[in-house]
Amino acid sequence: MSGLIYWLDMAGVIVFALSGVILACRSRMDPFGMLVLAAVTGIGGGTLRDLVLGVRPVFWVTDPTYLWVIMATVGLSILCFHYIHRLNRGFLPVADAFGLALFTVIGTHKALLLEAPGVVAVLMGMLTGVAGGMVRDVLARRVPMVLRQEVYATAAIAGGITYVVLDALSAPGTLTIALALLVTLGLRLAAIYWQLALPTFAWVTITPPPPSGEETGEGAAPPAALRPKVRVRMIRPEQSRRRTR
């Protein structure tokens, strides 16, 4: 189990670091900018997780292999820059989805190893999965995916709950990891493919129909019942997409 978790963690670092490199290319950053985005995406979430859980020193300090893997990913990406730059825009969300699934499982597993309660383990899994991508997007001056309508953090929470429940039921470790990965990845990829999103809430101004001149008298002030009102309304995803076009 420990060996499987370690290699899954390395795979997540590579995938997330690659997503940082791709975003850096699209943002026209230099090699140092590529390295920064790859590093914060690859190890940022795990660093925050360890700090919250009180793990000292954090994982990449005790095992610098993570740093070497990030540098190797950036170096190979620079050599293959022509091919990476030509990747279509759908590759970044898909790569990010795989990294989210891997890191959600890693974060939940580590929290449970430290005997954290189940709800804390789920939150640590979500933090490990989304924090690095949030910092990456902020540095690239983009709205983080977790703050948009997309099913992103929700997928991480679902995967973390799956892992905690199966672990509590003493399910085999490999099965627990596989199902948690599938739940997180399946929800995120389904959200990308079918453009699934959560509803939003917004302040909406409701304007009543204008009264006729005979009802209020010409030049008279409209009664209070006919003045615009502000209400909080739920906006469905399809309505929000139409408004932003």
Side-chain angles (χ1 to χ4, degrees):
M1 275 292 294
S2 59
L4 176 61
I5 291 293
Y6 182 79
W7 289 111
L8 286 176
D9 202 7
M10 283 297 176
V13 168
I14 293 172
V15 172
F16 259 0
L18 184 59
S19 72
V21 168
I22 293 171
L23 188 55
C25 291
R26 292 178 182 166
S27 302
R28 298 186 177 182
M29 295 185 180
D30 60 14
F32 181 75
M34 295 169 65
L35 181 61
V36 170
L37 253 62
V40 298
T41 312
I43 61 177
T47 301
L48 289 177
R49 174 204 64 214
D50 284 1
L51 292 176
V52 172
L53 291 174
V55 178
R56 299 292 188 280
V58 295
F59 67 100
W60 52 267
V61 174
T62 57
D63 186 3
T65 306
Y66 290 93
L67 302 179
W68 290 112
V69 167
I70 291 172
M71 287 188 284
T73 302
V74 174
L76 289 174
S77 300
I78 292 174
L79 293 177
C80 305
F81 175 80
H82 177 71
Y83 300 100
I84 291 178
H85 190 69
R86 294 177 60 183
L87 292 172
N88 66 53
R89 293 192 172 270
F91 182 81
L92 178 59
V94 172
D96 193 86
F98 277 92
L100 175 68
L102 291 167
F103 275 6
T104 296
V105 171
I106 298 300
T108 308
H109 173 79
K110 187 164 188 177
L112 290 176
L113 280 182
L114 295 173
E115 299 182 352
V119 63
V120 175
V122 172
L123 290 177
M124 289 302 100
M126 182 191 71
L127 179 65
T128 309
V130 308
M134 287 182 64
V135 178
R136 174 201 64 201
D137 290 343
V138 169
L139 292 177
R141 294 186 295 180
R142 292 180 20 154
V143 178
M145 280 189 275
V146 69
L147 300 181
R148 304 179 204 168
Q149 295 172 274
E150 300 180 25
V151 177
Y152 192 79
T154 311
I157 292 173
I161 292 174
T162 302
Y163 192 100
V164 169
V165 170
L166 291 175
D167 183 76
L169 296 174
S170 300
T174 306
L175 177 64
T176 301
I177 292 173
L179 289 179
L181 285 173
L182 286 175
V183 169
T184 308
L185 185 61
L187 283 176
R188 182 66 191 129
L189 292 180
I192 294 172
Y193 185 79
W194 284 294
Q195 297 184 345
L196 304 178
L198 299 175
T200 57
F201 293 86
W203 292 100
V204 178
T205 302
I206 303 174
T207 305
S212 61
E214 293 79 8
E215 294 177 358
T216 60
E218 295 294 339
L226 297 177
R227 294 172 186 169
K229 299 178 181 179
V230 178
R231 297 286 186 271
V232 176
R233 292 289 173 86
M234 184 178 71
I235 301 176
R236 290 177 295 180
E238 58 271 16
Q239 293 175 323
S240 180
R241 282 194 290 267
R242 286 198 296 266
R243 292 185 181 188
T244 55
R245 285 176 183 174

